Amino acid sequence: MAAAEAALQAGSGGPEVAGPAMKLWRGARRAALGLALLLLLAPPARAVEPISLGLAIAGAAASALTGIISYPRLYCYFRECCRQRHEPRVAAALQESLDRRLFGQHLVSKVVVRAVRGFLSNPQAKKPLALSLHGWTGTGKNFVSRIIAESIYKRGLKSSYVHQFVATLHFPHAHSINLYKDQLQSWIRGNVSICPRSIFIFDEMDKMHAGLIDAIKPFLDYYELLDGVSYRQAIFIFLSNAGAEKITEVALDFWRNGKAREDIQLTDMQNALSVSVFNNKNSGFWHSTLIDRNLIDYFVPFLPLEYKHVKMCVRVEIESRGYAVDEDILSRVADEMTYFPREERIYSDKGCKTVDAKLDYYYDF
């Protein structure tokens, strides 16, 4: 019981937060201990039968369980609930994770934290939050979507309230688009009905069949209710390589003019990025009503990673494996990556994507 009480205090922020719920635990504990003491001190002739003792202790435990279920915060300590983490803590956790684990993406850290914090703190949101993350492979798009999920739900991508779709896996056949549209609408409707704060992640948007994503347009629009269901608390995240050329073009222009990449502002590329994605025939957003109707709140550019950022990725990966950082191995892994443009060799063409595999070569497991 002491261990359970300690765990509850830790999970709820301390005894001052637990309040009445903690009193229930303590009351149940005192009842059980009092009953046991009474039984020990009573004369042998009046001893309670073992089965009666078991029932009495079970009753005390049942009282404690009833107390847990009566208080949502306690109940959610033992079982995952919709809106698991308290919203004021989400932004702090998100900022800390991005600062510590994401490299070379100052725009991403700034935009994503502000967007998520503002959305979660607004009880009167007019529409769901829609983020579209764009950039080359290995720049951190999947990583950031995972961090967002983990900051809201402890189980992250494994949460029952986080749903991930991969275009080439879940929607492979062009001739089945109408079927996919119906399935997608039913899936979103059903899950938001269960948990208003559901998170939907659509990966490989650049490989999705054009027109398919428009099926979710009603859910992203400014409707208060659709068939009795509100979608205003949901979060939609789209991941795509489309637009990476435009992002690189802006980054290279800054570099060639002697400007720091940290001076790049969202306004320098957001409009050009959205137009580029909208007109890209190889993108699932090609002429999409989601863009045409301004239902995507933020187009978030992931800049191509430089040599120094790759070294940061290598360092963190080595440390995560429990090894002391060997500067020679760190440099060799970074040097083995290929860089572009061919003349300047500034940006890694795979970002940090293959760092993990390359380190396997140097460490014997």
Side-chain angles (χ1 to χ4, degrees):
M1 185 68 74
E5 183 174 325
L8 284 169
Q9 289 184 7
S12 58
E16 69 280 2
V17 178
M22 187 57 67
K23 292 179 181 178
L24 282 172
W25 271 99
R26 290 171 177 164
R29 183 180 64 178
R30 292 191 192 103
L33 292 176
L35 177 60
L37 183 60
L38 177 63
L39 294 172
L40 289 173
L41 295 178
R46 301 178 61 185
V48 180
E49 295 179 4
I51 189 170
S52 301
L53 174 60
L55 290 173
I57 294 176
S63 298
L65 181 59
T66 301
I68 292 173
I69 295 174
S70 300
Y71 287 84
R73 291 187 66 178
L74 281 178
Y75 178 76
C76 295
Y77 181 85
F78 294 98
R79 181 168 180 170
E80 184 181 45
C81 294
C82 180
R83 308 176 82 172
Q84 177 101 39
R85 290 188 171 174
H86 300 293
E87 291 165 2
R89 299 179 182 175
V90 171
L94 182 57
Q95 183 73 70
E96 191 275 335
S97 293
L98 292 176
D99 289 345
R100 182 167 50 87
R101 301 156 65 188
L102 184 70
F103 308 113
Q105 304 295 355
H106 68 285
L107 290 176
V108 176
S109 297
K110 182 178 180 179
V111 175
V112 169
V113 172
R114 287 186 178 181
V116 173
R117 178 175 57 206
F119 179 70
L120 296 181
S121 63
N122 181 9
Q124 303 298 327
K126 301 300 182 183
K127 66 178 291 297
L129 176 62
L131 304 173
S132 192
L133 315 184
H134 297 266
W136 293 115
T137 297
T139 52
K141 301 184 299 296
N142 279 283
F143 185 64
V144 168
S145 67
R146 176 161 62 88
I147 290 177
I148 293 174
E150 289 173 353
S151 69
I152 297 175
Y153 292 110
K154 293 179 181 179
R155 299 185 64 216
L157 296 179
K158 295 180 180 179
S159 170
S160 300
Y161 309 118
V162 177
H163 314 281
Q164 192 169 26
F165 302 92
V166 179
T168 54
L169 174 64
H170 296 103
F171 316 112
H173 307 299
H175 60 79
S176 299
I177 283 184
N178 289 332
L179 173 62
Y180 297 150
K181 286 182 177 181
D182 291 340
Q183 291 175 337
L184 194 52
Q185 288 183 342
S186 296
W187 184 258
I188 293 175
R189 184 184 302 112
N191 282 286
V192 173
S193 298
I194 295 171
C195 176
R197 186 69 82 204
S198 291
I199 301 175
F200 300 94
I201 301 172
F202 294 85
D203 196 3
E204 297 184 348
M205 281 298 302
D206 50 302
K207 298 178 177 65
M208 182 176 286
H209 303 295
L212 173 56
I213 200 62
D214 288 345
I216 72 171
K217 182 262 178 187
F219 306 130
L220 269 68
D221 217 328
Y222 291 80
Y223 295 114
E224 183 174 358
L225 293 172
L226 285 174
D227 296 328
V229 179
S230 173
Y231 297 86
R232 292 181 170 183
Q233 296 180 40
I235 297 176
F236 293 81
I237 303 173
F238 306 95
L239 315 180
S240 177
N241 290 352
E245 297 89 350
K246 179 61 65 175
I247 296 170
T248 300
E249 180 183 315
V250 173
L252 267 175
D253 184 61
F254 268 71
W255 184 84
R256 287 168 176 163
N257 286 286
K259 299 179 182 178
R261 68 188 276 134
E262 289 75 20
D263 292 335
I264 300 174
Q265 301 297 316
L266 190 63
T267 53
D268 291 322
M269 60 176 67
Q270 179 154 282
N271 290 336
L273 178 58
S274 63
V275 171
S276 173
V277 172
F278 183 77
N279 291 320
N280 189 335
K281 291 185 177 182
N282 296 319
S283 168
F285 278 130
W286 184 63
H287 288 186
S288 171
T289 57
L290 301 189
I291 298 178
D292 189 46
R293 295 293 299 273
N294 298 309
L295 298 179
I296 304 296
D297 298 300
Y298 297 93
F299 288 88
V300 185
F302 282 67
L303 302 177
L305 298 182
E306 300 175 10
Y307 179 80
K308 62 182 179 181
H309 303 127
V310 174
K311 292 186 72 174
M312 292 177 184
C313 293
V314 177
R315 182 179 299 277
V316 168
E317 180 61 27
I318 293 174
E319 291 174 343
S320 71
R321 298 186 181 197
Y323 293 100
V325 176
D326 184 318
E327 296 295 336
D328 180 59
I329 292 179
L330 189 152
S331 297
R332 286 160 67 183
V333 171
D335 290 341
E336 289 174 5
M337 307 292 282
T338 53
Y339 296 85
F340 71 97
R342 180 176 301 176
E343 297 78 17
E344 294 96 335
R345 298 186 74 249
I346 307 168
Y347 306 119
S348 169
D349 64 354
K350 295 184 179 65
C352 288
K353 193 177 183 75
T354 59
V355 163
D356 183 69
K358 288 185 178 296
L359 276 177
D360 290 343
Y361 176 81
Y362 292 98
Y363 290 95
D364 182 12
F365 296 99

